Amino acid sequence: MARTVLVTGAAGGVGLELVKLLAAAGDEVVGVVLDEAEAARVRAAVPTVRALVPIDLADADSVAPALAPIFAAPGFKLDAVVTCAAVWPGGPLETTPLSEFRETFEINTMGCVAIYQQCLPLLRATKGRFVFVSSISGKVALPFNGAYTLSKYAIEALGDLARREAGKWGVKVSIVEPGPIKTPMVTAMAAKLDRERAALTDEARALYGDLYDAFALMVEEGYPTATEPKVVAETIVEALDAAEPLTRYEVDDTARFLCGMPRTMTDLQIDEIAIASVTAKPKEPA
C-alpha cells in the first residue's frame, strides 16, 4: 500500500535520493525544501512528488504555519517522516561565533523538534514511522566539528525520547547514523573552511592553523571514498519498510567503527583516535 512520507531536506544529497526511491516505490512524498529554487530542482528530478513546502528551518517557529495547510487538506494522512535537513559549519570551539552555534542548532535540532511536534498527531493516527538522520558526530566528538557535533548529540537524545514517548501509540522511531557522505554539504563546508583558513590572523594561525590544515587534508582525501547518498537513502527505506525497525542503523563501516567506540573503549582511548584524526600530516613527496 502506498504511503505518504514527509521528507525534510528533500533537495539535499540524501533527501533527494530518498525522494526518488520513495516515488519509484509508489509512495507519495511531501518534501520540505529551503526555497522555490530547491523546489524546482526536486520537481525536475521527481515530477510525481505530491507537494513541496518551502520552509527555512533556521526559523523553526515557521514549521507549524507552513505545514498547516497541507495537513488540513481533506483526507490527508501521514505514514512516515524523515528528517534529512542539516548544516555542517565546522571550526574550532573557541573561535566559532555563537551565532553559528545558534543557527546550527536551530536547523539541525530545533527544526527536527518542530517537525516532530507537528507530525506526531498524524503519525499517532496511522501508527506511523519517524526516522531521524543523525551522524557519527552524534556518537563521537571529533575536533573541528563543534556546532555540528553538539547538534547531532542532541538528535540522538531526541530520537531516544521520541521512541520512548511515542512508542505506546505504535509509532516506531529509528535513528540513522551515516559516516562521511559525498554530498554538497561537505563541499560547501570545505570551501567555507578554505576561506576562513586564508583569512586567519597570525595569532589564530599559530593556535589553529595546523588543525585547519589537517582537517582540510582529511576532507580532501576522504571525500572520494565517502558513502554515496543513495546508500544512506536505501538504509532509511530499510528503516521505513521493516516490520520491526532497529532503533539505530549504522550505515557504513566508518559509522560501525566510530559509533561502536563508546561501547568498547574508554574516553582516553577515544581521545587518542579523535585527536589523531585531525593531526595527520601531508605525506612527503616521493
Side-chain angles (χ1 to χ4, degrees), residues 16-54:
L16 185 55
E17 291 298 327
L18 177 61
V19 172
K20 291 176 182 177
L21 290 175
L22 293 171
D27 293 325
E28 293 192 331
V29 177
V30 175
V32 173
V33 294
L34 176 60
D35 51 30
E36 287 299 338
E38 285 196 353
R41 189 158 71 245
V42 177
R43 287 192 194 97
V46 190
T48 58
V49 66
R50 173 169 177 165
L52 292 166
V53 187

Side-chain angles (χ1 to χ4, degrees), residues 5-283:
V5 185
L6 184 142
V7 178
T8 73
V14 173
L16 185 55
E17 291 298 327
L18 177 61
V19 172
K20 291 176 182 177
L21 290 175
L22 293 171
D27 293 325
E28 293 192 331
V29 177
V30 175
V32 173
V33 294
L34 176 60
D35 51 30
E36 287 299 338
E38 285 196 353
R41 189 158 71 245
V42 177
R43 287 192 194 97
V46 190
T48 58
V49 66
R50 173 169 177 165
L52 292 166
V53 187
I55 302 177
D56 184 355
L57 293 176
D59 176 15
D61 288 331
S62 68
V63 167
L67 290 179
I70 300 289
F71 289 0
F76 181 83
K77 67 179 183 64
L78 187 64
D79 299 293
V81 176
V82 183
T83 60
C84 296
V87 294
W88 182 21
L93 277 174
E94 182 182 7
T95 59
T96 299
L98 292 180
S99 59
E100 202 161 86
F101 278 96
R102 292 188 185 102
E103 181 180 50
T104 303
F105 262 84
E106 190 76 3
I107 295 170
N108 293 6
T109 306
M110 295 306 297
C112 288
V113 174
I115 291 288
Y116 175 80
Q117 290 181 340
Q118 286 305 117
C119 295
L120 184 58
L122 294 174
L123 295 180
R124 187 159 45 224
T126 59
K127 298 187 185 325
R129 304 284 175 96
F130 206 111
V131 177
F132 294 98
V133 178
S134 182
S135 167
I136 54 173
S137 292
K139 287 297 187 65
V140 177
L142 299 176
F144 219 74
N145 285 280
Y148 184 73
T149 296
L150 292 174
S151 73
K152 288 299 185 179
Y153 264 69
I155 289 296
E156 295 284 333
L158 175 58
D160 285 340
L161 287 166
R163 189 178 68 253
R164 291 162 189 168
E165 290 187 3
K168 65 181 179 181
W169 300 302
V171 177
K172 298 183 185 299
V173 179
S174 297
I175 303 169
V176 171
E177 299 164 334
I181 313 172
K182 197 178 294 185
T183 68
M185 182 175 72
V186 177
T187 54
M189 186 274 293
K192 170 181 175 291
L193 293 181
D194 281 345
R195 293 191 298 271
E196 291 180 359
R197 180 168 53 163
L200 289 174
T201 65
D202 290 343
E203 180 183 9
R205 190 175 302 279
L207 291 170
Y208 291 114
D210 59 339
L211 193 58
Y212 272 90
D213 293 343
F215 194 81
L217 179 66
M218 183 177 70
V219 172
E220 179 185 348
E221 292 185 342
Y223 188 80
T225 58
T227 299
E228 294 289 343
K230 186 176 180 181
V231 174
V232 183
E234 288 170 343
T235 304
I236 295 169
V237 171
E238 181 182 346
L240 294 175
D241 288 347
E244 292 297 331
L246 302 177
T247 58
R248 282 174 169 79
Y249 289 82
E250 297 164 358
V251 175
D252 48 50
D253 289 341
T254 300
R256 283 184 279 274
F257 173 69
L258 289 175
C259 291
M261 289 199 307
R263 299 191 291 267
T264 61
M265 298 182 184
T266 67
D267 287 345
L268 293 180
Q269 288 173 322
I270 296 172
D271 287 352
E272 290 183 6
I273 294 172
I275 293 169
S277 72
V278 289
T279 54
K281 303 299 181 186
K283 294 180 181 178

